[in-house]
Amino acid sequence: MLLSGADIIVRTLIEQGCDVVFGYPGGQIINVYDSLYKYRDELKHVLAAHEQGATHAADGYARATGKVGVVIATSGPGATNLVTGIATAYIDSVPLVAITGNVPNSVIGTDGFQEIDITGITLPITKHNYFVSSIEDLADTIREAFRIASSGRPGPVLIDVPKDVQIAKYEYEPMPKVEKDEKSAAKDIRIQQAAECINNAEKPFIYFGGGVISAEAREEVLELAELIDAPIGCSMMGISGVPTDHPRFLGMQGMHGHYACSMSMHNADCIIALGARFNDRVTGNRAKFAKKAKIVHIDIDGAELSKTVEPAHGLRGDVKLTLQKLIPLLNKANRPEWQAVVDKFRAEEEAGLDSREGMTPRNVINTLNKYLDADTPVATDVGQHQMWSAQYLNFKNSRRFISSGGLGTMGFGLGAAIGAQLGTKQRSVLVTGDGSFGMCLNEMATAVSENLPVVILIMNNGVLGMVRQWQTLFFDKHYSNTVLDRKTDFVKLAEAFGAKASSALTLEELDAALNQAFNHDGPYLIDCAIDKDEFVLPMLPPGGSMDDIIVKIGD
Amino acid sequence: MDNRFTVAILVNNQFGVLNRVTSMFRRRQFNISALTVSETESAKYSRITVLSEGDEISKQQLINQLYKLPDVCSIVELNPAETVSRELLLVKVANSGETRNDVRAAVDAFEGKIVDYTRETTMIQMVGDSHKIDAFIDLLRDFEILEICRTGAASLERGNTTIRKVTNL
């Protein structure tokens, strides 16, 4: 049938399985919004307060569901406002399709009103992007964007559509949902070599990242751990990849990782790294990182295999399929000695745990834990609250910890919690800090307009706690611009947006507030007071090694 | 140690593809000493030849990062022993009575060609692999070089192999 470009965009999105898109209208995308109006019964559009929030929402939707998130914006500032959100998704390998309008082809290149070269701007932060100069290519470009975004190592794709292409008419023929590129296991010879290496190990350690979540390889990871009697740790992106309370799971590794996890990894003689990329927050000083270990690195992205650390065996392939071929080649093992070492680290961690009473970060997160279902998505912003969440939150199901890992985007959380709620139809939670929340709190309006059950827990300490922590430790307590000293009343603010809210000064008040929040039909904000001098521990100083680990702050 | 290497890349012949490739080189700080782009036997593809420098790991990293670009169709590292590689040089040197004969001798020794000749200047054209051109330029430094322009290498593997047989297009 003959349709306008705008109609083709919306029809193709529906055809590709989209049920909700996020965005913000404007002059050069107005035709698409007219089509969204026309097809409103088939495709829900969520109007954000700001394009950045819309991108984070599409990102949160994608992380929580595994489906491609879609965000729509106009040209110029609408498009540039997507940039932080796209970069966040890019670094964390989140499948996203961003559609932007642009000035008509006849005006392109003349610095027209709200013209911007968004394909140029997003070149380094997208897996691929397109400028669709003619309507003949429009539908197929969108289909290809979905394929690229979701295939292999997922990532964002941007499609820039000039206004005349949205207006032009062309024959549209519905097509089936695109198939992802076929996945494959690593080469057999590599798998055999890796199996030999693992079979010869005495102190194996399984370390996984977000790749295990996107490959849906939980069962294989647990089977592997059982077979070779190995402890499991993960990067921050791996959290929720296996159940937090699994007896072999030591939690997150890295700069603020669990002591037992980091120490076990440091002392292992073989690290089996699955869908992880050895970021500097994980390795610390690379020269001193896991010197005793041979690394077996499995990743779908071959470029990760020797990017930062040199593995003994680099296996390029889908983690799930590769493990399925690897596991039968491995010997069943029992390692009481290695487990005793790991248990000793666990006991040391246990002994060093923060056992104070009252509104400590750990007690706050544990109080929240009581309210989480197996399926509750928890988003975070970035900073101390994020690390406390990563350390102490309990997860059962995959895709339930939604946090900006690689880019560390403050302001990510509220949009992401909104997207996760809409994607999963579950009540979602945002754990945030007063600093991060201040960055994109405008999305409260979105949560209220859509009446979304989102519980917002602000760990409010009146400071930019993570930077302050560094200033305390490394900058002689020069608290340069980290003391917020704002007079914002978050309860009143939430009420002004039309949400419910309460504040909590004690754990009892927090418990009561959470009880209300988890029974409220709509967004509910809890302003939870935390001391400004709480630390995230343990801590590997930037560029340090396990020898430099800070476990306790002496006074 | 000479750790230069040459990589030939077949890419979709589309607007902006060169930009995608060079943008990746720039943001990951790969060291590129020469780069050429040309049309190919097929209107669908362009060919990019890159001369870079680095150890085995950085070479593999460059190739692996290239593979991630959807417009890259195939990549082959060109082994110098099995590759014909040619570059074109145009160089303009000052023309004077004292140096005229020496310049001529150098041009003859390298089988170059004088393509422009005035009272003050001589322009020389030379074709060869990049090492030969480096050596010739080095020789000319004894005289007054006014301007240099080199094309970067065009390289093809000897024998039956073609880049399109390397990966599935």
Side-chain angles (χ1 to χ4, degrees):
Chain A
M1 71 204 91
L2 200 62
L3 293 182
S4 71
D7 282 351
I8 290 175
I9 290 173
V10 175
R11 289 289 297 261
T12 313
L13 290 176
I14 296 167
E15 155 206 304
Q16 291 304 313
C18 254
D19 52 0
V20 52
V21 297
F22 304 86
Y24 205 97
Q28 304 299 353
I29 195 77
I30 194 165
N31 297 77
V32 170
Y33 274 80
D34 192 51
S35 301
L36 284 166
Y37 179 82
K38 195 190 302 183
Y39 294 105
R40 63 190 180 278
D41 292 337
E42 289 167 74
L43 181 60
K44 179 180 170 64
H45 176 272
V46 174
L47 174 65
H50 185 283
E51 289 89 350
Q52 181 181 349
T55 328
H56 292 326
D59 179 323
Y61 170 95
R63 289 185 205 231
T65 60
K67 291 163 68 177
V68 176
V70 177
V71 59
I72 300 173
T74 191
S75 64
T80 55
N81 281 344
L82 301 179
V83 167
T84 301
I86 293 173
T88 305
Y90 180 69
I91 300 190
D92 287 346
S93 311
V94 176
L96 203 71
V97 168
I99 297 174
T100 50
N102 209 333
V103 298
N105 272 301
S106 56
V107 184
I108 289 282
T110 66
D111 304 321
F113 176 66
Q114 293 194 330
E115 179 192 353
I116 200 76
D117 172 22
I118 196 63
T119 45
I121 290 173
T122 58
L123 194 69
I125 55 167
T126 48
K127 224 178 142 179
H128 199 49
N129 62 25
Y130 300 90
F131 178 83
V132 186
S133 56
S134 86
I135 189 161
E136 295 93 79
D137 303 327
L138 186 57
D140 281 344
T141 300
I142 296 170
R143 290 169 188 137
E144 192 172 283
F146 271 77
R147 181 183 63 76
I148 290 178
S150 57
S151 293
R153 178 180 181 171
V157 179
L158 180 135
I159 308 167
D160 196 22
V161 189
K163 184 163 173 147
D164 55 314
V165 174
Q166 299 169 38
I167 295 168
K169 286 197 157 46
Y170 195 66
E171 202 59 36
Y172 167 79
E173 222 177 289
M175 298 281 273
K177 201 164 177 287
V178 288
E179 297 282 327
K180 291 184 194 179
D181 294 351
E182 206 176 326
K183 294 174 178 177
S184 58
K187 286 182 184 156
D188 287 343
I189 176 74
R190 301 264 187 219
I191 295 177
Q192 283 157 20
Q193 290 162 345
E196 197 175 325
C197 176
I198 297 168
N199 282 334
N200 287 328
E202 288 174 357
K203 295 184 277 184
F205 181 88
I206 297 170
Y207 164 67
F208 72 90
V212 161
I213 294 177
S214 50
E216 295 172 355
R218 168 186 289 201
E219 271 174 48
E220 287 76 10
V221 171
L222 296 178
E223 191 186 340
L224 170 70
E226 223 48 61
L227 181 67
I228 63 169
D229 197 12
I232 310 172
C234 70
S235 70
M236 199 198 81
M237 292 305 298
I239 293 176
S240 85
V242 303
T244 311
D245 60 1
H246 190 279
R248 293 190 176 276
F249 184 55
L250 300 175
M252 173 177 75
Q253 192 275 352
M255 180 177 269
H256 294 297
H258 286 265
Y259 175 82
C261 183
S262 298
M263 287 303 282
S264 301
M265 190 161 173
H266 187 59
N267 284 283
D269 65 354
C270 176
I271 294 170
I272 304 156
L274 309 168
R277 60 187 179 85
F278 293 105
N279 172 264
D280 53 280
R281 286 298 189 263
V282 163
T283 61
N285 183 344
R286 276 178 210 154
K288 292 184 183 169
F289 173 73
K291 292 312 281 179
K292 303 164 203 163
K294 285 187 172 161
I295 296 172
V296 173
H297 192 176
I298 306 177
D299 202 289
I300 197 159
D301 179 358
E304 290 301 339
L305 296 179
S306 56
K307 193 178 74 178
T308 61
V309 299
E310 183 66 358
H313 301 280
L315 287 77
R316 171 195 209 141
D318 177 70
V319 170
K320 188 183 180 82
L321 297 177
T322 305
L323 284 181
Q324 283 173 351
K325 285 185 144 185
L326 174 69
I327 287 170
L329 305 180
L330 298 176
N331 302 334
K332 171 109 188 96
N334 251 321
R335 311 181 195 276
E337 283 171 33
W338 174 223
Q339 290 303 339
V341 174
V342 174
D343 286 344
K344 187 179 79 91
F345 292 142
R346 273 183 195 266
E348 284 170 11
E349 176 177 323
E350 195 72 33
L353 273 182
D354 179 5
S355 55
R356 292 171 297 157
E357 294 188 354
M359 284 287 251
T360 63
R362 181 163 178 248
N363 291 341
V364 168
I365 301 291
N366 276 334
T367 307
L368 172 62
N369 271 331
K370 292 196 293 179
Y371 290 89
L372 302 181
D373 289 337
D375 238 357
T376 310
V378 184
T380 75
D381 270 303
V382 168
Q384 286 186 311
H385 71 271
Q386 178 191 29
M387 291 299 107
W388 289 321
S389 300
Q391 290 175 334
Y392 302 130
L393 277 171
N394 280 333
F395 292 98
K396 290 235 174 335
N397 295 345
S398 271
R399 300 192 171 281
R400 288 303 175 260
F401 182 62
I402 293 162
S403 192
S404 166
L407 199 65
T409 306
M410 290 173 73
F412 167 77
L414 184 52
I418 287 170
Q421 196 288 322
L422 284 157
T424 61
K425 312 279 192 285
Q426 302 291 318
R427 183 186 303 277
S428 70
V429 177
L430 165 66
V431 181
T432 182
D434 47 323
S436 284
F437 189 65
M439 286 210 173
C440 293
L441 57 81
N442 48 5
E443 296 307 333
M444 283 293 289
T446 313
V448 169
S449 301
E450 301 283 331
N451 197 37
L452 307 177
V454 177
V455 177
I456 299 158
L457 177 63
I458 306 179
M459 298 178 81
N460 185 352
N461 56 6
V463 295
L464 300 176
M466 187 57 96
V467 180
R468 182 186 170 89
Q469 174 167 341
W470 285 42
Q471 289 171 334
T472 303
L473 294 171
F474 314 122
F475 291 89
D476 296 327
K477 302 191 180 177
H478 297 159
Y479 296 123
S480 173
N481 293 282
T482 51
V483 182
L484 294 177
D485 203 19
R486 290 173 181 157
K487 305 291 180 265
T488 313
D489 182 332
F490 285 110
V491 172
K492 279 189 187 157
L493 179 83
E495 287 167 356
F497 273 112
K500 291 274 184 232
S502 54
S503 63
L505 296 171
T506 64
L507 283 180
E508 291 69 37
E509 286 176 10
L510 174 62
D511 197 50
L514 284 166
N515 196 15
Q516 293 232 337
F518 277 81
N519 286 297
H520 178 64
D521 179 27
Y524 194 108
L525 181 147
I526 301 169
D527 182 11
C528 172
I530 295 283
D531 188 82
K532 65 182 186 306
D533 286 314
E534 293 288 350
F535 276 84
V536 179
L537 292 173
M539 178 179 193
L540 282 179
S545 76
M546 282 309 292
D547 305 328
D548 312 310
I549 192 167
I550 304 170
V551 188
K552 236 189 166 78
I553 300 295
D555 41 355
Chain B
M1 199 187 77
D2 185 14
N3 54 2
R4 288 203 281 190
F5 58 90
T6 305
V7 176
I9 313 155
L10 202 63
V11 298
N12 285 327
N13 181 18
Q14 263 169 23
F15 188 75
V17 174
L18 178 63
N19 190 16
R20 291 179 193 281
V21 171
T22 53
S23 160
M24 189 280 286
F25 289 155
R26 179 192 57 78
R27 69 179 182 270
R28 295 195 183 270
Q29 304 208 335
F30 287 114
N31 192 0
I32 306 298
S33 25
L35 187 146
T36 58
V37 195
S38 61
E39 293 178 349
T40 65
E41 67 284 358
S42 158
K44 274 174 74 183
Y45 307 114
S46 308
R47 183 179 177 115
I48 301 176
T49 309
V50 172
L51 178 64
S52 178
E53 215 170 310
D55 57 16
E56 183 63 27
I57 289 178
S58 84
K59 180 170 77 188
Q60 286 311 323
Q61 184 62 208
L62 182 141
I63 291 171
N64 280 324
Q65 292 293 354
L66 278 172
Y67 266 123
K68 287 164 68 171
L69 301 175
D71 280 328
V72 169
C73 304
S74 96
I75 304 169
V76 55
E77 189 201 343
L78 299 174
N79 176 351
E82 282 150 30
T83 303
V84 176
S85 189
R86 292 290 181 271
E87 186 176 353
L88 172 69
L89 165 77
L90 292 176
V91 54
K92 198 185 282 184
V93 295
N95 195 0
S96 72
E98 301 101 72
T99 59
R100 195 164 291 156
N101 288 337
D102 291 342
V103 169
R104 257 226 122 79
V107 172
D108 288 345
F110 276 78
E111 295 177 318
K113 193 176 166 193
I114 289 173
V115 288
D116 186 56
Y117 198 85
T118 68
R119 279 183 201 89
E120 287 84 29
T121 64
T122 307
M123 194 196 300
I124 304 149
Q125 161 195 310
M126 209 185 69
V127 176
D129 66 23
S130 298
H131 287 288
K132 178 180 169 186
I133 290 183
D134 287 347
F136 182 62
I137 290 173
D138 188 53
L139 198 66
L140 288 187
R141 291 199 195 285
D142 292 348
F143 316 108
E144 191 189 348
I145 299 175
L146 300 172
E147 239 179 339
I148 288 179
C149 182
R150 340 175 23 163
T151 58
S155 306
L156 282 183
E157 282 185 296
R158 296 178 191 275
N160 293 332
T161 49
T162 68
I163 190 167
R164 294 174 70 171
K165 288 183 187 164
V166 175
T167 53
N168 302 322
L169 285 169

